[in-house]
Amino acid sequence: MQNINNSQTSIYRTVLPNGIVLLVAENPAADIIAGRIFIRAGSCYEKVEKAGLAHLLSAVMTKGCDGLSSLEIAEKVESVGASLSIDAGTDYFLLSLKTVTADFAEILALSGLLLRSPTFPENQIELEKRLALQDIRSQKEQPFNLAFEQMRQAMYQEHPYSRSVLGTEATLSSITRTDLAEFHQVHFRPDNMVISIAGRITPEAAQELVTKVFGDWQPPTEPRHILDLPAISVTPKSCLKPLNTQQSIVMLGYMGPSVSAPGYPALKLLATYLGNGLSSRLFVELREKRGLAYEVSAIYSTRLFPASFIVYMGTAPENTSIALDGLRQEVERLCNTELSAEELQTAKNKILGQYALGKQTNGQIAQIYGWYEILGLGIEFDHEFPELINKVSPKLAMTAANSYLQEPYVSLVGQEEAIKSVIS
């Protein structure tokens, strides 16, 4: 078992004989244990005509498993005051659980049943489909979501990142129980899993429990599914979606690097500098000084594949054109003018402070190490990340801006006359 000391936390890492990667952070401070079970089975693994399948699978997995009904599962969790949830993202599938120490073995065993032998009851599939359809329709009424979806589709084309995890009304309607069972059979296998545990438990006890629940699960003879995704061609363009709304959403998008690429730390810092919080550059310049923005921010997600770097603003319809120019100018400034050492240090302090605060609870600890492991970064990335951030110089930040933040994709949602006049 590998032992890595990261700041105050010792992380133990081992690979079980069946391929499961087990991470354990012993933290006796509170009588709580949190677990995160990651599986390489997010929406990137779906067929395009079955978009939404991973999300639907995550919703129905807690609704029935070998020998237990939906109600019995809920009662098992709630009777001991535990929490258990399952979610699907783009890059991975995730089961989260939290219990007091005494109940951990029981809830871990239940998690094993849910992951290994879901029953996919037909009535629950239809119910979850209806709920997902409501979510899809609800998002179509929200200007930000419309602008973001339009941006995603323009930037990612045929790549799975272009699609919502929820899928579309058409694809969701076509998903059958057989589709769910086949997806589960292909991707849910021990050598596709990372189990990350944090709390009042020793690494030895955790390994014993995990072996008891999952040790007899053998990987199939077929090799693991390897993603073969279409290339992303960067061809910036403008997209407009007229909507009768009281504000315009103005969004610029740039194709940034994946988490494992060299430009990642610098862009993470630039996104923090531009749009993180009330002291960020966009907030101070465009909202406080010029009164243009209802909301303004920057987003640069940590992704397994190239990630979008997005700046956006919600503004009054009559300010649409000025808002677009303002956002463009702020991003162009990063390409033309080096940030001062003080500006950069302030952004570093902010991002590293938030990073440290994001590892306070057992759930957060289990999450971050499991996440790094499933992304292929390894648990060492926890201490590498602050080092990478601290190494970013003003010159390096400007070089990254010039590499990635040149010609933007533009996505506008708002009143027709307000958004059309901007592009014409």
Side-chain angles (χ1 to χ4, degrees):
M1 192 178 258
Q2 179 187 8
N3 177 12
I4 293 179
N5 283 304
N6 289 325
S7 59
Q8 287 80 44
T9 312
S10 280
I11 304 296
Y12 295 84
R13 180 188 186 276
T14 192
V15 183
L16 303 185
N18 60 1
I20 289 175
V21 177
L22 173 63
L23 310 175
V24 186
E26 185 178 359
N27 180 15
D31 186 28
I32 298 287
I33 301 177
R36 298 287 187 271
I37 302 177
F38 292 83
I39 298 125
R40 292 180 189 87
S43 60
C44 277
Y45 294 81
E46 303 164 340
K47 294 174 182 166
V48 61
E49 66 273 14
K50 299 291 180 183
L53 195 155
H55 172 78
L56 185 61
L57 179 65
S58 73
V60 297
M61 274 188 110
T62 55
K63 300 301 190 288
C65 63
D66 195 14
L68 292 173
S69 69
S70 175
L71 183 60
E72 287 167 329
I73 291 166
E75 284 175 345
K76 267 186 174 292
V77 175
E78 290 168 11
S79 66
V80 294
S83 67
L84 189 154
S85 62
I86 301 182
D87 303 286
T90 49
D91 295 331
Y92 55 81
F93 196 95
L94 176 63
L95 182 148
S96 306
L97 63 120
K98 184 171 73 173
T99 76
V100 296
T101 306
D103 299 319
F104 182 69
E106 182 187 351
I107 300 301
L108 184 69
L110 175 62
S111 303
L113 278 177
L114 293 173
L115 291 173
R116 294 178 65 175
S117 52
T119 50
F120 309 124
E122 286 280 8
N123 63 330
Q124 295 290 343
I125 293 171
E126 291 310 309
L127 172 63
E128 293 301 334
K129 271 191 184 182
R130 286 199 297 275
L131 293 172
L133 284 169
Q134 285 175 15
D135 283 349
I136 290 168
R137 288 167 188 152
S138 165
Q139 291 203 351
K140 287 182 177 173
E141 296 169 3
Q142 296 164 17
F144 173 83
N145 286 331
L146 286 171
F148 192 66
E149 181 182 25
Q150 185 171 251
M151 177 67 79
R152 222 173 34 212
Q153 289 171 355
M155 292 182 78
Y156 285 105
Q157 303 113 36
E158 302 304 312
H159 191 282
Y161 282 4
S162 68
R163 308 191 292 267
S164 164
V165 174
L166 292 171
T168 67
E169 293 189 47
T171 59
L172 197 60
S173 301
S174 76
I175 296 169
T176 64
R177 184 180 181 280
T178 303
D179 294 326
L180 294 171
E182 285 177 356
F183 187 86
H184 177 266
Q185 187 177 4
V186 169
H187 299 294
F188 283 67
R189 44 190 287 170
D191 53 351
N192 241 357
M193 287 174 55
V194 173
I195 299 180
S196 181
I197 296 169
R200 189 178 284 182
I201 188 167
T202 65
E204 294 75 22
Q207 186 169 341
E208 189 179 325
L209 281 176
V210 169
T211 301
K212 187 176 176 183
V213 174
F214 295 101
D216 63 337
W217 191 8
Q218 293 307 309
T221 51
E222 299 86 22
R224 287 190 331 197
H225 180 87
I226 303 299
L227 285 174
D228 180 22
L229 300 179
I232 301 165
S233 62
V234 180
T235 49
K237 59 182 181 181
S238 297
C239 309
L240 312 180
K241 190 177 284 291
L243 189 72
N244 188 16
T245 175
Q246 295 311 303
Q247 66 169 312
S248 295
I249 299 291
V250 181
M251 192 174 282
L252 305 182
Y254 306 81
M255 188 58 73
S258 71
V259 62
S260 54
Y264 168 79
L267 276 204
K268 205 72 182 167
L269 253 182
L270 290 177
T272 299
Y273 168 75
L274 272 183
N276 184 333
L278 307 186
S279 61
S280 66
R281 173 80 187 185
L282 295 180
F283 192 92
V284 171
E285 293 297 320
L286 302 180
R287 182 179 160 124
E288 294 295 289
K289 291 185 181 175
R290 299 178 64 186
L292 289 175
Y294 300 137
E295 56 174 329
V296 63
S297 193
I299 307 167
Y300 173 52
S301 300
T302 299
R303 290 276 185 265
L304 200 51
F305 302 105
S308 53
F309 184 105
I310 286 172
V311 293
Y312 73 92
M313 187 196 302
T315 192
E318 63 272 17
N319 289 333
T320 306
S321 181
I322 312 168
L324 179 60
D325 288 342
L327 284 176
R328 274 183 185 271
Q329 285 164 12
E330 289 301 335
V331 178
E332 284 169 5
R333 176 178 170 269
L334 299 177
C335 299
N336 302 328
T337 309
E338 277 191 11
L339 297 184
S340 70
E342 186 183 358
E343 285 176 311
L344 201 60
Q345 191 58 51
T346 300
K348 287 178 182 181
N349 295 345
K350 187 185 292 185
I351 198 171
L352 294 177
Q354 290 172 346
Y355 185 73
L357 288 171
K359 294 186 295 179
Q360 298 295 299
T361 67
N362 288 329
Q364 290 170 329
I365 292 166
Q367 174 75 28
I368 201 157
Y369 292 115
W371 183 48
Y372 286 158
E373 185 69 39
I374 204 76
L375 289 179
L377 299 165
I379 53 179
E380 300 87 352
F381 193 71
D382 179 49
H383 60 79
E384 288 169 8
F385 177 71
E387 290 172 6
L388 290 168
I389 291 295
N390 279 320
K391 281 180 184 169
V392 177
S393 63
K395 186 174 183 181
L396 199 62
M398 190 164 141
T399 301
N402 277 293
S403 298
Y404 296 103
L405 308 180
Q406 289 288 341
E407 186 61 30
Y409 290 81
V410 178
S411 176
L412 300 175
V413 171
Q415 294 173 13
E416 190 163 4
E417 42 306 349
I419 61 174
K420 283 199 169 172
S421 62
V422 172
I423 299 302
S424 56

